Every structure is written in C-alpha cells, then in structure tokens.
C-alpha cells in the first residue's frame, strides 16, 4: 500500500521526514501553539484517544449521524504501530462501512485522511483501511485512500472538496 509522510513547513521550506535535532525544538514550540489543539502526545494512549476524538465527529456523507453513531469508527479502530527508525509515528485507522457495497466508502476514507492531516501536528505516517471482509471492493478502496496522487486529485475537485469540508466540519 502506498502512503505518505506528513510534510512539515520550516521557515518557508518544505521537508519530508524527520528534521535535525536543533530544528525539532523549534518545531515542537510551533506545534504546541497551533490552534490550542496540540496533539503532540506523551504516550501512544493519549495519541490514540486524541485521534479517536477527531474521527468520532466526522459526519456521514448521506446521513445526519456521525461515523461513531453509525459504528463506522470505534475506539479500537485506531492503532499506533511501532515508530520508524526516524521516530515517525505510524498510525493505522480501520473503518467499517455500514453495508458491504457502500458507495461512499472511498469518500469516508478521504474525510478521515483530510481531518487527521489537518489536525495532527506530530510527524506521522497514516494508513487507512476498510475492516477486512467488510466491503465488496475493499482492496481497490484501500489502494485509493492510501495513494497520495489520488488524494490530491480528489481534493482538487471543488464539489468533492465541498462535500469533504461539510463532513469534517466541527459542530459549534
């Protein structure tokens, strides 16, 4: 599966992967200030809980309920895997579409990815998958929602972008 590392902006330059030690201190200070919603966690449990709190509020594209209310996401769907040698957290998200032929499973995966990428401020690698055996075309959808180019192309579509924004919008 293709997935990608979150890019971090440092002084106007974009770098992939892990910054040098002196740059890491500057980044951590910036990250804590981001929207007073810092998710730089001291433990995997805190990170897992923070991620789940973000996922549970995503709205279903065709129903008024959230993904949590529809049991599409659940507390055990977030898994923090062993960090890479460079110290990058690997986050695995598994979701369960409501029906095996759900036509909006790809859109739900896109919403999950966009919301997490916008709100997580630590270095991470994000892998999103449909629960094994829960969808008739799970392999194809898994490939789509973990492909950097497909995600970028999807978010360039104004109608699709508007739908994603509506689904991930926080309630006031």
């Amino acid at each position: 599966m293709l997935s990608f590392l979150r890019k971090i902006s440092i002084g106007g330059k974009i770098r992939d992967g892990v910054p040098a030690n002196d740059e890491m201190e500057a980044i951590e200070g910036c990250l804590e200030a981001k929207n007073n919603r810092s998710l730089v966690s001291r433990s995997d449990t805190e990170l897992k809980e923070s991620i789940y709190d973000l996922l549970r509020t995503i709205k279903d594209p065709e129903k008024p309920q959230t993904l949590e209310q529809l049991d599409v996401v659940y507390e055990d769907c977030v898994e923090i895997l062993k960090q890479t040698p460079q110290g990058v957290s690997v986050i695995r998200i598994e979701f369960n579409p409501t029906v095996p032929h759900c036509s909006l499973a790809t859109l739900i995966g896109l919403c999950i990815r966009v919301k997490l990428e916008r709100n997580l401020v630590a270095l991470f690698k994000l892998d999103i998958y449909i629960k094994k055996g829960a969808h008739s075309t799970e392999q194809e959808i898994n490939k789509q929602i973990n492909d950097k180019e497909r995600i970028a192309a999807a978010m360039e579509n104004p109608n699709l972008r508007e739908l994603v924004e509506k689904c991930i919008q926080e309630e006031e």
Side-chain angles (χ1 to χ4, degrees), residues 81-140:
L81 304 175
K82 185 178 174 184
Q83 287 188 346
T84 66
Q86 295 82 20
V88 177
S89 296
V90 179
I91 302 167
R92 186 179 201 282
I93 307 294
E94 177 182 85
F95 69 99
N96 185 22
T98 54
V99 292
H101 56 277
C102 178
S103 61
L104 297 174
T106 305
L107 179 59
I108 291 170
L110 180 62
C111 291
I112 290 170
R113 179 172 295 284
V114 170
K115 182 141 188 187
L116 291 179
E117 286 179 352
R118 287 186 184 172
N119 288 280
L120 291 178
V121 294
L123 288 172
F124 65 93
K125 177 180 181 272
L126 186 58
D127 292 325
I128 302 173
Y129 297 95
I130 291 180
K131 185 175 182 180
K132 190 159 183 69
H135 197 280
S136 57
T137 60
E138 74 183 72
Q139 290 178 339
E140 292 86 2

Short mmCIF file of all heavy atoms in Angstrom, two decimals, residues 81-140:
data_model
loop_
_atom_site.label_atom_id
_atom_site.label_comp_id
_atom_site.label_asym_id
_atom_site.label_seq_id
_atom_site.Cartn_x
_atom_site.Cartn_y
_atom_site.Cartn_z
N LEU A 81 1.25 2.00 15.68
CA LEU A 81 2.25 0.96 15.43
C LEU A 81 3.63 1.44 15.86
O LEU A 81 3.83 2.61 16.19
CB LEU A 81 2.24 0.57 13.96
CG LEU A 81 0.89 0.11 13.40
CD1 LEU A 81 0.98 -0.13 11.91
CD2 LEU A 81 0.39 -1.12 14.12
N LYS A 82 4.59 0.55 15.80
CA LYS A 82 5.97 0.87 16.16
C LYS A 82 6.48 2.02 15.29
O LYS A 82 6.25 2.05 14.09
CB LYS A 82 6.83 -0.37 15.96
CG LYS A 82 8.25 -0.22 16.41
CD LYS A 82 9.01 -1.51 16.22
CE LYS A 82 10.47 -1.30 16.54
NZ LYS A 82 11.26 -2.50 16.29
N GLN A 83 7.17 2.96 15.92
CA GLN A 83 7.74 4.09 15.19
C GLN A 83 8.81 3.63 14.22
O GLN A 83 9.48 2.63 14.45
CB GLN A 83 8.35 5.12 16.15
CG GLN A 83 7.32 5.92 16.91
CD GLN A 83 7.97 7.05 17.69
OE1 GLN A 83 9.18 7.09 17.87
NE2 GLN A 83 7.16 7.97 18.15
N THR A 84 8.97 4.40 13.15
CA THR A 84 10.04 4.11 12.21
C THR A 84 11.38 4.46 12.87
O THR A 84 11.40 5.15 13.90
CB THR A 84 9.88 4.96 10.92
OG1 THR A 84 10.05 6.33 11.25
CG2 THR A 84 8.52 4.72 10.28
N PRO A 85 12.49 4.02 12.31
CA PRO A 85 13.80 4.36 12.88
C PRO A 85 14.03 5.88 12.98
O PRO A 85 14.81 6.34 13.81
CB PRO A 85 14.80 3.72 11.92
CG PRO A 85 14.06 2.60 11.29
CD PRO A 85 12.63 3.06 11.20
N GLN A 86 13.36 6.65 12.14
CA GLN A 86 13.49 8.12 12.18
C GLN A 86 12.57 8.76 13.22
O GLN A 86 12.52 9.97 13.32
CB GLN A 86 13.19 8.72 10.80
CG GLN A 86 14.16 8.32 9.72
CD GLN A 86 13.86 6.95 9.13
OE1 GLN A 86 12.76 6.43 9.22
NE2 GLN A 86 14.87 6.34 8.53
N GLY A 87 11.81 7.96 13.96
CA GLY A 87 10.93 8.49 15.00
C GLY A 87 9.56 8.92 14.51
O GLY A 87 8.85 9.64 15.21
N VAL A 88 9.16 8.50 13.33
CA VAL A 88 7.86 8.87 12.78
C VAL A 88 6.81 7.89 13.28
O VAL A 88 6.97 6.67 13.14
CB VAL A 88 7.89 8.87 11.23
CG1 VAL A 88 6.53 9.18 10.65
CG2 VAL A 88 8.92 9.87 10.73
N SER A 89 5.73 8.41 13.88
CA SER A 89 4.65 7.55 14.35
C SER A 89 3.89 6.98 13.17
O SER A 89 3.60 7.67 12.21
CB SER A 89 3.67 8.36 15.22
OG SER A 89 4.31 8.82 16.37
N VAL A 90 3.57 5.70 13.25
CA VAL A 90 2.77 5.04 12.23
C VAL A 90 1.38 4.83 12.82
O VAL A 90 1.22 4.14 13.83
CB VAL A 90 3.38 3.70 11.78
CG1 VAL A 90 2.51 3.04 10.72
CG2 VAL A 90 4.80 3.92 11.26
N ILE A 91 0.39 5.45 12.19
CA ILE A 91 -0.98 5.40 12.68
C ILE A 91 -1.81 4.59 11.68
O ILE A 91 -1.84 4.92 10.50
CB ILE A 91 -1.57 6.82 12.83
CG1 ILE A 91 -0.70 7.63 13.79
CG2 ILE A 91 -3.02 6.76 13.29
CD1 ILE A 91 -1.00 9.12 13.77
N ARG A 92 -2.46 3.56 12.17
CA ARG A 92 -3.31 2.73 11.30
C ARG A 92 -4.75 2.92 11.75
O ARG A 92 -5.08 2.73 12.91
CB ARG A 92 -2.92 1.26 11.42
CG ARG A 92 -3.66 0.37 10.44
CD ARG A 92 -3.23 -1.08 10.59
NE ARG A 92 -3.50 -1.88 9.43
CZ ARG A 92 -4.68 -2.37 9.12
NH1 ARG A 92 -5.72 -2.11 9.87
NH2 ARG A 92 -4.83 -3.12 8.03
N ILE A 93 -5.59 3.30 10.79
CA ILE A 93 -7.01 3.50 11.04
C ILE A 93 -7.78 2.45 10.26
O ILE A 93 -7.53 2.25 9.07
CB ILE A 93 -7.49 4.91 10.57
CG1 ILE A 93 -6.62 6.02 11.14
CG2 ILE A 93 -8.96 5.11 10.88
CD1 ILE A 93 -6.69 6.19 12.62
N GLU A 94 -8.70 1.80 10.92
CA GLU A 94 -9.56 0.82 10.26
C GLU A 94 -11.00 1.30 10.43
O GLU A 94 -11.39 1.70 11.52
CB GLU A 94 -9.37 -0.54 10.93
CG GLU A 94 -10.24 -1.64 10.40
CD GLU A 94 -10.01 -2.93 11.16
OE1 GLU A 94 -10.64 -3.10 12.22
OE2 GLU A 94 -9.20 -3.75 10.71
N PHE A 95 -11.77 1.31 9.35
CA PHE A 95 -13.17 1.69 9.49
C PHE A 95 -14.06 0.63 8.87
O PHE A 95 -13.63 -0.17 8.05
CB PHE A 95 -13.44 3.08 8.94
CG PHE A 95 -13.34 3.24 7.45
CD1 PHE A 95 -14.47 3.22 6.64
CD2 PHE A 95 -12.11 3.44 6.84
CE1 PHE A 95 -14.38 3.39 5.27
CE2 PHE A 95 -12.00 3.60 5.46
CZ PHE A 95 -13.15 3.58 4.67
N ASN A 96 -15.31 0.62 9.31
CA ASN A 96 -16.26 -0.41 8.92
C ASN A 96 -17.46 0.23 8.24
O ASN A 96 -18.32 0.79 8.92
CB ASN A 96 -16.69 -1.18 10.17
CG ASN A 96 -17.57 -2.36 9.86
OD1 ASN A 96 -17.56 -2.87 8.76
ND2 ASN A 96 -18.33 -2.78 10.86
N PRO A 97 -17.55 0.18 6.90
CA PRO A 97 -18.71 0.76 6.23
C PRO A 97 -20.01 0.13 6.71
O PRO A 97 -20.01 -1.02 7.17
CB PRO A 97 -18.47 0.44 4.75
CG PRO A 97 -17.01 0.14 4.65
CD PRO A 97 -16.61 -0.43 5.97
N THR A 98 -21.10 0.86 6.61
CA THR A 98 -22.37 0.37 7.13
C THR A 98 -22.90 -0.84 6.36
O THR A 98 -23.58 -1.68 6.93
CB THR A 98 -23.43 1.49 7.13
OG1 THR A 98 -23.51 2.04 5.81
CG2 THR A 98 -23.08 2.57 8.13
N VAL A 99 -22.62 -0.92 5.07
CA VAL A 99 -23.06 -2.06 4.25
C VAL A 99 -21.89 -2.53 3.38
O VAL A 99 -21.03 -1.73 3.02
CB VAL A 99 -24.28 -1.71 3.37
CG1 VAL A 99 -25.51 -1.47 4.22
CG2 VAL A 99 -24.01 -0.50 2.50
N PRO A 100 -21.86 -3.80 2.97
CA PRO A 100 -20.74 -4.33 2.18
C PRO A 100 -20.58 -3.71 0.79
O PRO A 100 -19.55 -3.87 0.17
CB PRO A 100 -21.05 -5.82 2.06
CG PRO A 100 -22.00 -6.12 3.15
CD PRO A 100 -22.77 -4.86 3.41
N HIS A 101 -21.57 -3.02 0.31
CA HIS A 101 -21.50 -2.39 -1.01
C HIS A 101 -21.63 -0.87 -0.93
O HIS A 101 -22.06 -0.23 -1.87
CB HIS A 101 -22.59 -2.98 -1.92
CG HIS A 101 -23.96 -2.84 -1.33
ND1 HIS A 101 -24.44 -3.74 -0.40
CD2 HIS A 101 -24.92 -1.92 -1.51
CE1 HIS A 101 -25.65 -3.37 -0.05
NE2 HIS A 101 -25.97 -2.27 -0.70
N CYS A 102 -21.25 -0.31 0.21
CA CYS A 102 -21.35 1.14 0.44
C CYS A 102 -20.63 1.92 -0.67
O CYS A 102 -19.42 1.78 -0.86
CB CYS A 102 -20.75 1.49 1.79
SG CYS A 102 -20.77 3.25 2.19
N SER A 103 -21.38 2.75 -1.36
CA SER A 103 -20.80 3.50 -2.48
C SER A 103 -19.98 4.70 -2.00
O SER A 103 -19.24 5.29 -2.79
CB SER A 103 -21.92 3.97 -3.41
OG SER A 103 -22.80 4.83 -2.71
N LEU A 104 -20.09 5.06 -0.73
CA LEU A 104 -19.39 6.22 -0.22
C LEU A 104 -18.19 5.86 0.67
O LEU A 104 -17.65 6.73 1.35
CB LEU A 104 -20.36 7.13 0.53
CG LEU A 104 -21.48 7.71 -0.33
CD1 LEU A 104 -22.48 8.47 0.51
CD2 LEU A 104 -20.92 8.60 -1.42
N ALA A 105 -17.77 4.60 0.64
CA ALA A 105 -16.65 4.18 1.49
C ALA A 105 -15.38 4.95 1.15
O ALA A 105 -14.61 5.32 2.05
CB ALA A 105 -16.43 2.68 1.36
N THR A 106 -15.14 5.21 -0.12
CA THR A 106 -13.94 5.95 -0.52
C THR A 106 -14.01 7.38 0.01
O THR A 106 -13.02 7.91 0.51
CB THR A 106 -13.80 5.96 -2.05
OG1 THR A 106 -13.82 4.62 -2.51
CG2 THR A 106 -12.50 6.61 -2.47
N LEU A 107 -15.18 7.99 -0.05
CA LEU A 107 -15.36 9.35 0.46
C LEU A 107 -15.16 9.39 1.97
O LEU A 107 -14.54 10.31 2.50
CB LEU A 107 -16.74 9.88 0.08
CG LEU A 107 -17.08 11.28 0.58
CD1 LEU A 107 -16.08 12.31 0.04
CD2 LEU A 107 -18.50 11.66 0.17
N ILE A 108 -15.64 8.38 2.68
CA ILE A 108 -15.45 8.32 4.13
C ILE A 108 -13.95 8.22 4.44
O ILE A 108 -13.45 8.93 5.32
CB ILE A 108 -16.24 7.14 4.74
CG1 ILE A 108 -17.74 7.43 4.65
CG2 ILE A 108 -15.82 6.89 6.19
CD1 ILE A 108 -18.63 6.25 4.99
N GLY A 109 -13.24 7.38 3.72
CA GLY A 109 -11.79 7.27 3.91
C GLY A 109 -11.08 8.58 3.63
O GLY A 109 -10.15 8.97 4.34
N LEU A 110 -11.51 9.29 2.60
CA LEU A 110 -10.94 10.60 2.26
C LEU A 110 -11.20 11.60 3.39
O LEU A 110 -10.30 12.35 3.78
CB LEU A 110 -11.53 11.11 0.94
CG LEU A 110 -11.05 12.46 0.44
CD1 LEU A 110 -9.55 12.45 0.16
CD2 LEU A 110 -11.82 12.86 -0.82
N CYS A 111 -12.40 11.60 3.94
CA CYS A 111 -12.73 12.50 5.05
C CYS A 111 -11.85 12.21 6.26
O CYS A 111 -11.35 13.14 6.92
CB CYS A 111 -14.21 12.37 5.43
SG CYS A 111 -15.35 13.00 4.20
N ILE A 112 -11.65 10.94 6.56
CA ILE A 112 -10.79 10.55 7.69
C ILE A 112 -9.38 11.07 7.46
O ILE A 112 -8.78 11.68 8.35
CB ILE A 112 -10.80 9.01 7.87
CG1 ILE A 112 -12.17 8.55 8.38
CG2 ILE A 112 -9.68 8.56 8.80
CD1 ILE A 112 -12.37 7.04 8.37
N ARG A 113 -8.84 10.85 6.28
CA ARG A 113 -7.47 11.29 5.97
C ARG A 113 -7.34 12.81 6.08
O ARG A 113 -6.43 13.31 6.72
CB ARG A 113 -7.05 10.82 4.59
CG ARG A 113 -5.63 11.29 4.23
CD ARG A 113 -5.11 10.69 2.96
NE ARG A 113 -4.92 9.25 3.05
CZ ARG A 113 -3.91 8.66 3.68
NH1 ARG A 113 -2.99 9.38 4.28
NH2 ARG A 113 -3.80 7.34 3.71
N VAL A 114 -8.24 13.54 5.46
CA VAL A 114 -8.14 15.01 5.45
C VAL A 114 -8.26 15.56 6.87
O VAL A 114 -7.48 16.43 7.27
CB VAL A 114 -9.21 15.62 4.51
CG1 VAL A 114 -9.30 17.12 4.68
CG2 VAL A 114 -8.91 15.26 3.07
N LYS A 115 -9.21 15.05 7.65
CA LYS A 115 -9.38 15.56 9.01
C LYS A 115 -8.13 15.30 9.86
O LYS A 115 -7.67 16.19 10.58
CB LYS A 115 -10.60 14.95 9.67
CG LYS A 115 -10.83 15.51 11.07
CD LYS A 115 -12.24 15.72 11.38
CE LYS A 115 -12.39 16.45 12.69
NZ LYS A 115 -13.78 16.52 13.10
N LEU A 116 -7.58 14.12 9.77
CA LEU A 116 -6.39 13.82 10.57
C LEU A 116 -5.18 14.62 10.12
O LEU A 116 -4.42 15.12 10.94
CB LEU A 116 -6.09 12.32 10.55
CG LEU A 116 -7.10 11.44 11.27
CD1 LEU A 116 -6.71 9.98 11.16
CD2 LEU A 116 -7.27 11.85 12.72
N GLU A 117 -5.00 14.75 8.81
CA GLU A 117 -3.86 15.52 8.32
C GLU A 117 -3.94 16.98 8.72
O GLU A 117 -2.92 17.62 8.94
CB GLU A 117 -3.75 15.39 6.80
CG GLU A 117 -3.23 14.04 6.37
CD GLU A 117 -3.14 13.89 4.87
OE1 GLU A 117 -3.61 14.78 4.12
OE2 GLU A 117 -2.59 12.87 4.43
N ARG A 118 -5.12 17.51 8.83
CA ARG A 118 -5.28 18.92 9.23
C ARG A 118 -5.12 19.13 10.73
O ARG A 118 -4.77 20.22 11.16
CB ARG A 118 -6.65 19.43 8.82
CG ARG A 118 -6.76 19.65 7.34
CD ARG A 118 -8.06 20.29 7.00
NE ARG A 118 -8.21 20.41 5.55
CZ ARG A 118 -9.31 20.79 4.97
NH1 ARG A 118 -10.37 21.10 5.70
NH2 ARG A 118 -9.37 20.87 3.66
N ASN A 119 -5.41 18.12 11.53
CA ASN A 119 -5.43 18.31 12.97
C ASN A 119 -4.27 17.70 13.72
O ASN A 119 -3.99 18.10 14.84
CB ASN A 119 -6.74 17.78 13.54
CG ASN A 119 -7.91 18.66 13.17
OD1 ASN A 119 -8.13 19.69 13.79
ND2 ASN A 119 -8.63 18.29 12.13
N LEU A 120 -3.61 16.71 13.16
CA LEU A 120 -2.46 16.13 13.84
C LEU A 120 -1.24 16.98 13.53
O LEU A 120 -1.01 17.34 12.38
CB LEU A 120 -2.22 14.70 13.38
CG LEU A 120 -3.26 13.69 13.80
CD1 LEU A 120 -2.92 12.32 13.24
CD2 LEU A 120 -3.39 13.61 15.31
N VAL A 121 -0.48 17.27 14.54
CA VAL A 121 0.66 18.18 14.35
C VAL A 121 2.00 17.49 14.54
O VAL A 121 3.02 18.10 14.37
CB VAL A 121 0.54 19.41 15.29
CG1 VAL A 121 -0.64 20.25 14.89
CG2 VAL A 121 0.46 18.98 16.73
N ALA A 122 1.99 16.22 14.86
CA ALA A 122 3.24 15.48 15.01
C ALA A 122 3.61 14.84 13.67
O ALA A 122 2.79 14.77 12.76
CB ALA A 122 3.07 14.40 16.08
N LEU A 123 4.85 14.39 13.55
CA LEU A 123 5.25 13.63 12.38
C LEU A 123 4.56 12.28 12.42
O LEU A 123 4.58 11.60 13.45
CB LEU A 123 6.76 13.41 12.38
CG LEU A 123 7.62 14.62 12.08
CD1 LEU A 123 9.08 14.28 12.30
CD2 LEU A 123 7.39 15.09 10.66
N PHE A 124 3.92 11.91 11.33
CA PHE A 124 3.24 10.63 11.31
C PHE A 124 3.11 10.09 9.90
O PHE A 124 3.19 10.82 8.93
CB PHE A 124 1.85 10.73 11.95
CG PHE A 124 0.91 11.64 11.17
CD1 PHE A 124 0.05 11.12 10.22
CD2 PHE A 124 0.89 12.99 11.41
CE1 PHE A 124 -0.80 11.93 9.50
CE2 PHE A 124 0.04 13.82 10.68
CZ PHE A 124 -0.80 13.29 9.73
N LYS A 125 2.92 8.80 9.83
CA LYS A 125 2.59 8.10 8.59
C LYS A 125 1.21 7.53 8.82
O LYS A 125 0.96 6.86 9.81
CB LYS A 125 3.60 6.99 8.32
CG LYS A 125 3.31 6.17 7.09
CD LYS A 125 4.40 5.10 6.94
CE LYS A 125 4.17 4.27 5.71
NZ LYS A 125 3.31 3.12 5.96
N LEU A 126 0.29 7.83 7.94
CA LEU A 126 -1.11 7.47 8.12
C LEU A 126 -1.52 6.39 7.13
O LEU A 126 -1.38 6.56 5.92
CB LEU A 126 -1.97 8.73 7.92
CG LEU A 126 -3.45 8.65 8.20
CD1 LEU A 126 -3.72 8.22 9.63
CD2 LEU A 126 -4.09 10.01 7.94
N ASP A 127 -1.99 5.26 7.65
CA ASP A 127 -2.51 4.17 6.83
C ASP A 127 -3.98 3.97 7.20
O ASP A 127 -4.31 3.76 8.37
CB ASP A 127 -1.75 2.86 7.09
CG ASP A 127 -0.32 2.91 6.59
OD1 ASP A 127 -0.07 3.55 5.55
OD2 ASP A 127 0.55 2.31 7.24
N ILE A 128 -4.86 4.05 6.20
CA ILE A 128 -6.30 3.91 6.41
C ILE A 128 -6.79 2.71 5.63
O ILE A 128 -6.50 2.59 4.43
CB ILE A 128 -7.05 5.19 5.98
CG1 ILE A 128 -6.51 6.39 6.75
CG2 ILE A 128 -8.55 5.03 6.19
CD1 ILE A 128 -7.05 7.73 6.28
N TYR A 129 -7.55 1.85 6.30
CA TYR A 129 -8.04 0.63 5.67
C TYR A 129 -9.48 0.37 6.05
O TYR A 129 -9.92 0.73 7.14
CB TYR A 129 -7.20 -0.59 6.12
CG TYR A 129 -5.77 -0.51 5.71
CD1 TYR A 129 -4.80 0.00 6.57
CD2 TYR A 129 -5.37 -0.92 4.44
CE1 TYR A 129 -3.48 0.08 6.19
CE2 TYR A 129 -4.04 -0.84 4.06
CZ TYR A 129 -3.11 -0.34 4.93
OH TYR A 129 -1.80 -0.25 4.54
N ILE A 130 -10.19 -0.30 5.15
CA ILE A 130 -11.52 -0.81 5.47
C ILE A 130 -11.32 -2.12 6.24
O ILE A 130 -10.42 -2.91 5.92
CB ILE A 130 -12.33 -1.06 4.17
CG1 ILE A 130 -12.66 0.27 3.52
CG2 ILE A 130 -13.58 -1.86 4.46
CD1 ILE A 130 -13.45 0.16 2.24
N LYS A 131 -12.17 -2.34 7.23
CA LYS A 131 -12.09 -3.57 8.01
C LYS A 131 -12.15 -4.77 7.07
O LYS A 131 -12.99 -4.84 6.18
CB LYS A 131 -13.24 -3.61 9.02
CG LYS A 131 -13.18 -4.77 9.96
CD LYS A 131 -14.28 -4.67 10.98
CE LYS A 131 -14.19 -5.82 11.96
NZ LYS A 131 -15.26 -5.73 12.96
N LYS A 132 -11.27 -5.73 7.28
CA LYS A 132 -11.16 -6.90 6.40
C LYS A 132 -12.51 -7.62 6.31
O LYS A 132 -13.13 -7.93 7.31
CB LYS A 132 -10.08 -7.84 6.92
CG LYS A 132 -9.74 -8.94 5.95
CD LYS A 132 -8.38 -9.51 6.26
CE LYS A 132 -7.97 -10.57 5.29
NZ LYS A 132 -7.69 -10.08 3.96
N GLY A 133 -12.95 -7.83 5.08
CA GLY A 133 -14.20 -8.55 4.83
C GLY A 133 -15.46 -7.70 4.95
O GLY A 133 -16.56 -8.22 4.81
N ALA A 134 -15.32 -6.39 5.19
CA ALA A 134 -16.48 -5.54 5.43
C ALA A 134 -17.01 -4.86 4.17
O ALA A 134 -18.06 -4.23 4.22
CB ALA A 134 -16.15 -4.48 6.48
N HIS A 135 -16.30 -4.97 3.04
CA HIS A 135 -16.74 -4.31 1.81
C HIS A 135 -16.40 -5.18 0.62
O HIS A 135 -15.35 -5.84 0.60
CB HIS A 135 -16.09 -2.93 1.69
CG HIS A 135 -16.76 -2.03 0.71
ND1 HIS A 135 -16.56 -2.12 -0.65
CD2 HIS A 135 -17.66 -1.04 0.90
CE1 HIS A 135 -17.30 -1.21 -1.25
NE2 HIS A 135 -17.98 -0.53 -0.34
N SER A 136 -17.25 -5.14 -0.39
CA SER A 136 -17.06 -5.98 -1.57
C SER A 136 -15.85 -5.58 -2.41
O SER A 136 -15.27 -6.41 -3.10
CB SER A 136 -18.32 -5.98 -2.42
OG SER A 136 -18.67 -4.66 -2.79
N THR A 137 -15.43 -4.32 -2.33
CA THR A 137 -14.27 -3.87 -3.12
C THR A 137 -13.21 -3.24 -2.20
O THR A 137 -12.60 -2.23 -2.55
CB THR A 137 -14.69 -2.85 -4.20
OG1 THR A 137 -15.29 -1.72 -3.56
CG2 THR A 137 -15.66 -3.45 -5.19
N GLU A 138 -12.98 -3.85 -1.05
CA GLU A 138 -12.09 -3.25 -0.06
C GLU A 138 -10.66 -3.03 -0.56
O GLU A 138 -10.05 -2.02 -0.24
CB GLU A 138 -12.09 -4.04 1.25
CG GLU A 138 -11.35 -5.35 1.18
CD GLU A 138 -11.44 -6.14 2.48
OE1 GLU A 138 -12.51 -6.67 2.77
OE2 GLU A 138 -10.41 -6.21 3.17
N GLN A 139 -10.12 -3.95 -1.36
CA GLN A 139 -8.74 -3.79 -1.83
C GLN A 139 -8.60 -2.56 -2.72
O GLN A 139 -7.63 -1.80 -2.58
CB GLN A 139 -8.27 -5.03 -2.57
CG GLN A 139 -8.07 -6.22 -1.65
CD GLN A 139 -7.64 -7.47 -2.40
OE1 GLN A 139 -7.85 -7.59 -3.59
NE2 GLN A 139 -7.04 -8.40 -1.68
N GLU A 140 -9.55 -2.35 -3.61
CA GLU A 140 -9.49 -1.19 -4.50
C GLU A 140 -9.63 0.11 -3.72
O GLU A 140 -8.91 1.09 -3.97
CB GLU A 140 -10.58 -1.27 -5.58
CG GLU A 140 -10.38 -2.38 -6.57
CD GLU A 140 -10.96 -3.73 -6.11
OE1 GLU A 140 -11.57 -3.79 -5.01
OE2 GLU A 140 -10.78 -4.71 -6.83
#
